Amino acid sequence: MALTILKGAILSAPALGRLEVTEGGYLIAEDGVITGTFPALPERYAGAPVEDFGGALILQAPADLHLHAPQYPMMGMGMDLPLLDWLNTYAFPTEARFADPGYAREVYRCLAEDLIANGTTRVCMFSSLHREATLILMEELEKAGVTGYVGKVNMDRNGGENLQETTEESMAETLRWLEECGDFRHIRPIVTPRFTPSCTDELMAFLGRLAAERGLPVQSHLSENTAEGDWVRQLHPDCGQYWETYDKYGLWNGRTVMAHCVWCDERERRAMKDAGVTAVHCPDSNQNLCSGVSPVRVLLSEGVKVALGTDVAGGDTLSMLDAASSAIRASKARRILDGWGTDFLTAAEAWYLATSAGAEFFGEKPGFAPGNALHALVLDDSRLLQPHPLTPEERLERCLYHRQPGAVRAVWSAGRRAR
Amino acid sequence: MALTILKGAILSAPALGRLEVTEGGYLIAEDGVITGTFPALPERYAGAPVEDFGGALILQAPADLHLHAPQYPMMGMGMDLPLLDWLNTYAFPTEARFADPGYAREVYRCLAEDLIANGTTRVCMFSSLHREATLILMEELEKAGVTGYVGKVNMDRNGGENLQETTEESMAETLRWLEECGDFRHIRPIVTPRFTPSCTDELMAFLGRLAAERGLPVQSHLSENTAEGDWVRQLHPDCGQYWETYDKYGLWNGRTVMAHCVWCDERERRAMKDAGVTAVHCPDSNQNLCSGVSPVRVLLSEGVKVALGTDVAGGDTLSMLDAASSAIRASKARRILDGWGTDFLTAAEAWYLATSAGAEFFGEKPGFAPGNALHALVLDDSRLLQPHPLTPEERLERCLYHRQPGAVRAVWSAGRRAR
């Protein structure tokens, strides 16, 4: 049996807004599965090797539930454009380059290493429509130690130049991709219609059947931008609301993640809650593309599942610590927008969304619960000045705001040491 | 005569929203004063040594027109509190520690070096109320190569525990500080009433007379937060508006910088314009402390001078590149708040605010104008992936969003090489 014993200032988010702290504690995993967090080393482990990280923070590794791998080279570009123009001018031409497997290999190797360097160990990720590049992406993530879901994007209408499939190609390539990605252990496929405007009804129906037959999860975009919402309504006069264009084809259930959810009204939010759909809040992207400010507090209070995503490259950072502080900032913009009527997210709440809430989509319990796979990172904030002796909670808050290159000293992903 | 010739992709902001680019150009200074930017080396400089930075960007070094030096150790902390609670719980106790000159030396040395590492060469900066620590701060900035203004803070009411002076102490210590800081070449004193609630009428009157008699500039805070505004109105029933509490005492003129200006109404904005007061927009701080979203586009269109500040530690970053992208984000929040009625700031506009607009307060012309002191930085973005061949304008935008530790390879401040 492989035993992992980590010692440090252990901090986890077992519930929304609650942090659990064990300073000088022991986080223990057997064969990569957490057995518990202990204030002192239990007797049954006496003599076992302990990795002692001193006063460093030992945190849950975050989960990034929405990002676009082929947009990784263009982070922070074209941010002065609205969503649909930005897609056509920047995102689609960049994605089109991934027809070249050599380029895909080069970029995706960097991306996978950068994710681990930032401590992100679980993802729900969009590839491009290219089957080969998608397999390369999965291979590089697997190799670097990233776990989770990757989807070959489907888009058989309204694409960019060199970035569209026929309906037949989309279906055939998706089936072939599913055959060829059978061997990855930690990276699995997810059905990925880009968004309703990109997929014909025939393709949507095919993808819905595929998800049902093979028991696959689904990822897409929902109610990101008002112009997009108008477009969807034009394309689907039969559907009263955006979500119904997914529901109609069997793409709306407890294994569905929907990015953004900025403009969901009460009925759409209720549909999310009833179906168990996870909303992925992407605060950086929503602000950069001027999409709006998601009513995260309302979603949470109504019982909708909410996790966080970087949405690279609508978002301009790969770091989920950045995404957590951005979620706090966005919630403050929302509070101002609501005339100070809604509470903003606290640091503890944002960190829960970045970690436990995302992990739930992968079937895990919140915090460092026994039975969870070990996903953890060691964050060394010892180079920062100390205005007074800080609690671990204060240190976490500071680490969310204060970018510290190289501060992630060690990472475990699904029980394996990845950094 | 000392000659400086820098070669690279020279990019400057000679007007709001306009970037001037000379790829493979030469930026030349004689005795630290810019003579011009040239597409080819002028004949009169033939044979002179050229520092060739290849394809790297050569940018104006930014000016940070509002930050609190003693809050530097607490960046990113207590961000879940509103302004007045945050001051009492975090800012005031941290500032109180600067009664200890040893602590001041340690922190201010780091701060000064960190400013230069981030490329910031000009500041308007608040110290604490401690004379000795303020002199240490000025010394460390001078040594590191930072230029600009530093103010010993005055506060004789509503301070924190161990952080208040009597009126007499405040006046006497201010006079003594002015005597003792005569020797700094690049760092000069600025009159600094913390804000109206911190200063009695007697102290304000003294500071106004002092500024007039000695020809000193003035810095303070204005209309940051609604609760603060209410408080000021209670304290000054004789003044219709916040700005009048400064104007009344001669602290409101063309050499005044006022931080924040989030809640200035039309009349207050008009008063700023008429007096030539510079508004310092601090987007990170305004969002972190949930103060509001400054109507920067309105200020600019009405002809008010606007520069940028980090407002460390209401702001959580010392980087003015971060402050520029935060200003863009804030302007997008403002656009959403205004029902999409106001345009957001473009990357070119934000960079103008971070550089030329701030430099104007120090008497300089916009851009790399001949006659300006050489304040420049070399930014190396060569480690970033290239989705396609990028223009210098695209590279600048990406550098504002994409944090690159160590990317500032060289810095000139007031003609001197500082990094």
Side-chain angles (χ1 to χ4, degrees):
Chain A
M1 184 196 63
L3 191 60
T4 309
I5 307 182
L6 312 180
K7 188 177 181 202
I10 301 166
L11 190 155
S12 65
L16 183 70
R18 191 161 70 81
L19 297 176
E20 200 167 272
V21 175
T22 315
E23 287 194 82
Y26 297 81
L27 174 62
I28 302 181
E30 297 181 7
D31 286 332
V33 176
I34 294 172
T35 55
T37 303
F38 306 92
L41 191 65
E43 209 168 316
R44 66 183 183 278
Y45 299 117
V50 172
E51 293 183 77
D52 189 344
F53 291 96
L57 291 168
I58 299 179
L59 305 171
Q60 294 165 262
D64 185 346
L65 255 61
H66 183 66
L67 75 165
H68 292 265
Q71 295 175 14
Y72 175 66
M74 44 164 288
M75 281 196 284
M77 297 187 60
M79 307 272 79
D80 291 354
L81 298 173
L83 172 64
L84 301 177
D85 295 337
W86 176 83
L87 281 175
N88 290 315
T89 313
Y90 278 91
F92 287 174
T94 303
E95 289 197 21
R97 292 196 60 184
F98 288 80
D100 171 4
Y103 186 69
R105 179 74 67 188
E106 176 196 339
V107 171
Y108 289 155
R109 183 166 297 160
C110 293
L111 169 62
E113 286 166 5
D114 204 2
L115 280 164
I116 291 296
N118 279 286
T120 301
T121 60
R122 274 170 293 212
V123 295
C124 282
M125 190 183 267
F126 280 54
S127 176
S128 57
L129 53 75
H130 310 96
R131 176 181 43 79
E132 203 174 340
T134 305
L135 291 165
I136 289 168
L137 172 59
M138 296 173 88
E139 202 178 303
E140 291 298 331
L141 292 172
E142 178 83 35
K143 209 188 296 175
V146 182
T147 72
Y149 296 116
V150 166
K152 174 212 168 310
V153 163
N154 298 96
M155 54 189 308
D156 66 343
R157 65 175 176 184
N158 298 314
E161 201 182 340
N162 305 319
L163 197 74
Q164 190 168 303
E165 315 156 296
T166 65
T167 308
E168 293 65 35
E169 279 167 355
S170 187
M171 297 192 295
E173 288 292 280
T174 299
L175 290 172
R176 199 171 150 195
W177 163 63
L178 288 175
E179 274 166 33
E180 291 175 357
C181 70
D183 288 345
F184 300 112
R185 188 163 158 222
H186 295 96
I187 290 286
R188 281 156 299 170
I190 183 167
V191 170
T192 308
R194 184 174 200 116
F195 70 150
T196 296
S198 300
C199 299
T200 60
D201 296 2
E202 189 185 351
L203 183 56
M204 290 288 258
F206 166 81
L207 293 173
R209 283 194 308 272
L210 190 68
E213 283 166 17
R214 308 214 180 177
L216 295 172
V218 173
Q219 63 181 353
S220 198
H221 296 87
L222 183 72
S223 296
E224 177 173 3
N225 169 297
T226 52
E228 172 211 19
D230 294 342
W231 194 13
V232 169
R233 270 183 294 278
Q234 279 168 25
L235 292 167
H236 279 276
D238 55 317
C239 292
Q241 293 196 304
Y242 197 162
W243 68 275
E244 295 175 67
T245 66
Y246 296 114
D247 185 43
K248 183 176 171 182
Y249 299 109
L251 296 160
W252 187 259
N253 58 57
R255 300 196 63 203
T256 300
V257 280
M258 283 287 162
H260 303 303
C261 307
V262 174
W263 294 98
C264 299
D265 67 4
E266 201 182 336
R267 182 163 169 267
E268 194 158 88
R269 297 193 303 262
R270 163 67 59 105
M272 303 194 77
K273 192 198 162 196
D274 290 347
V277 166
T278 299
V280 188
H281 177 41
C282 305
D284 267 315
S285 169
N286 296 161
Q287 194 154 25
N288 285 337
L289 299 178
C290 220
S291 301
V293 187
S294 177
V296 174
R297 175 65 66 195
V298 175
L299 288 163
L300 288 169
S301 66
E302 290 178 355
V304 178
K305 292 181 201 164
V306 181
L308 279 191
T310 59
D311 192 24
V312 163
D316 53 75
T317 167
L318 203 64
S319 161
M320 286 295 291
L321 284 83
D322 288 352
S325 58
S326 294
I328 298 170
R329 287 192 198 93
S331 73
K332 288 173 177 176
R334 187 73 233 179
R335 177 168 159 81
I336 294 166
L337 203 60
D338 294 342
W340 276 262
T342 46
D343 290 335
F344 57 75
L345 296 174
T346 63
E349 287 175 324
W351 188 240
Y352 176 87
L353 298 184
T355 55
S356 298
E360 189 186 344
F361 188 70
F362 301 97
E364 300 206 340
K365 293 189 285 291
F368 282 131
N372 280 353
L374 180 65
H375 286 270
L377 64 87
V378 176
L379 198 60
D380 178 11
D381 59 351
S382 61
R383 286 187 308 166
L384 298 182
L385 294 166
Q386 291 274 342
H388 57 260
L390 302 184
T391 64
E393 291 90 338
E394 287 178 306
R395 292 167 59 196
L396 172 67
E397 182 189 21
R398 179 150 78 157
C399 289
L400 298 186
Y401 284 94
H402 205 100
R403 293 159 205 109
Q404 302 169 74
V408 174
R409 274 179 53 196
V411 176
W412 285 260
S413 175
R416 299 175 294 170
R417 178 90 182 239
R419 182 188 172 90
Chain B
M1 186 197 67
L3 191 60
T4 310
I5 307 182
L6 312 181
K7 188 177 181 203
I10 300 167
L11 190 155
S12 66
L16 183 68
R18 190 160 71 81
L19 297 175
E20 201 168 270
V21 174
T22 316
E23 288 194 81
Y26 297 81
L27 174 62
I28 302 182
E30 298 182 5
D31 286 333
V33 176
I34 294 171
T35 56
T37 303
F38 306 93
L41 191 65
E43 211 170 312
R44 67 181 183 279
Y45 299 118
V50 172
E51 293 185 76
D52 189 343
F53 292 97
L57 291 168
I58 300 180
L59 306 172
Q60 293 164 262
D64 186 347
L65 255 63
H66 184 66
L67 74 165
H68 293 264
Q71 294 174 16
Y72 174 66
M74 44 166 284
M75 281 195 285
M77 297 186 60
M79 306 275 79
D80 291 354
L81 297 172
L83 173 64
L84 301 176
D85 295 337
W86 176 81
L87 281 175
N88 290 317
T89 313
Y90 278 90
F92 287 172
T94 303
E95 290 197 21
R97 291 196 59 184
F98 288 79
D100 170 5
Y103 186 68
R105 179 74 67 190
E106 176 196 339
V107 170
Y108 290 154
R109 182 165 298 161
C110 293
L111 168 62
E113 287 167 4
D114 203 1
L115 281 164
I116 292 295
N118 279 286
T120 300
T121 61
R122 274 170 295 212
V123 295
C124 281
M125 190 183 266
F126 280 54
S127 174
S128 58
L129 53 75
H130 311 98
R131 176 181 45 78
E132 202 173 342
T134 305
L135 291 165
I136 290 168
L137 171 59
M138 296 173 88
E139 202 179 303
E140 291 297 333
L141 292 172
E142 179 83 35
K143 208 187 299 173
V146 182
T147 73
Y149 296 116
V150 166
K152 174 213 166 313
V153 163
N154 297 97
M155 53 190 306
D156 67 341
R157 65 175 177 183
N158 298 316
E161 202 183 339
N162 305 321
L163 197 74
Q164 190 167 303
E165 315 156 296
T166 66
T167 309
E168 294 65 33
E169 279 165 355
S170 186
M171 297 192 294
E173 287 292 282
T174 298
L175 291 171
R176 200 170 150 197
W177 162 62
L178 288 174
E179 276 166 35
E180 292 174 357
C181 69
D183 289 344
F184 300 113
R185 190 163 158 223
H186 296 97
I187 288 288
R188 282 157 299 171
I190 184 167
V191 170
T192 308
R194 183 172 199 119
F195 69 149
T196 296
S198 300
C199 298
T200 61
D201 296 1
E202 189 184 352
L203 184 56
M204 290 288 256
F206 166 81
L207 294 173
R209 282 195 308 273
L210 190 67
E213 283 166 16
R214 309 213 180 183
L216 295 171
V218 173
Q219 64 180 353
S220 197
H221 296 87
L222 183 72
S223 297
E224 177 173 0
N225 169 298
T226 52
E228 172 210 20
D230 294 342
W231 193 13
V232 170
R233 271 184 293 279
Q234 280 169 25
L235 292 167
H236 279 274
D238 57 318
C239 291
Q241 294 197 299
Y242 196 161
W243 68 277
E244 296 175 65
T245 66
Y246 296 112
D247 186 44
K248 183 175 173 183
Y249 299 109
L251 295 161
W252 187 258
N253 57 57
R255 301 196 63 204
T256 301
V257 279
M258 282 287 162
H260 303 303
C261 308
V262 174
W263 294 98
C264 300
D265 67 5
E266 202 180 337
R267 184 165 167 265
E268 194 158 86
R269 297 193 302 263
R270 165 66 60 105
M272 303 195 79
K273 192 200 163 195
D274 290 347
V277 165
T278 300
V280 189
H281 177 42
C282 304
D284 266 315
S285 169
N286 296 160
Q287 194 155 24
N288 284 337
L289 300 177
C290 219
S291 301
V293 187
S294 178
V296 174
R297 176 64 66 194
V298 175
L299 288 163
L300 288 170
S301 66
E302 290 178 355
V304 178
K305 293 181 199 164
V306 181
L308 280 191
T310 60
D311 192 25
V312 162
D316 53 76
T317 166
L318 203 64
S319 162
M320 286 296 290
L321 284 84
D322 287 353
S325 57
S326 293
I328 299 170
R329 287 192 198 93
S331 73
K332 288 173 176 175
R334 187 72 233 182
R335 179 168 159 80
I336 295 167
L337 203 58
D338 293 342
W340 276 261
T342 47
D343 290 335
F344 56 75
L345 296 174
T346 63
E349 288 176 323
W351 188 239
Y352 176 87
L353 298 183
T355 56
S356 298
E360 189 185 344
F361 189 71
F362 301 97
E364 302 207 340
K365 294 188 285 293
F368 282 130
N372 280 353
L374 180 65
H375 287 269
L377 64 88
V378 176
L379 198 60
D380 178 11
D381 59 350
S382 61
R383 283 187 309 167
L384 299 182
L385 294 168
Q386 292 273 343
H388 58 261
L390 303 185
T391 65
E393 292 89 338
E394 286 178 306
R395 291 167 60 196
L396 172 67
E397 181 190 18
R398 179 152 76 159
C399 288
L400 298 187
Y401 284 96
H402 205 100
R403 294 160 205 109
Q404 302 170 73
V408 175
R409 273 179 54 196
V411 176
W412 286 261
S413 175
R416 300 174 295 171
R417 177 89 182 240
R419 183 189 171 88

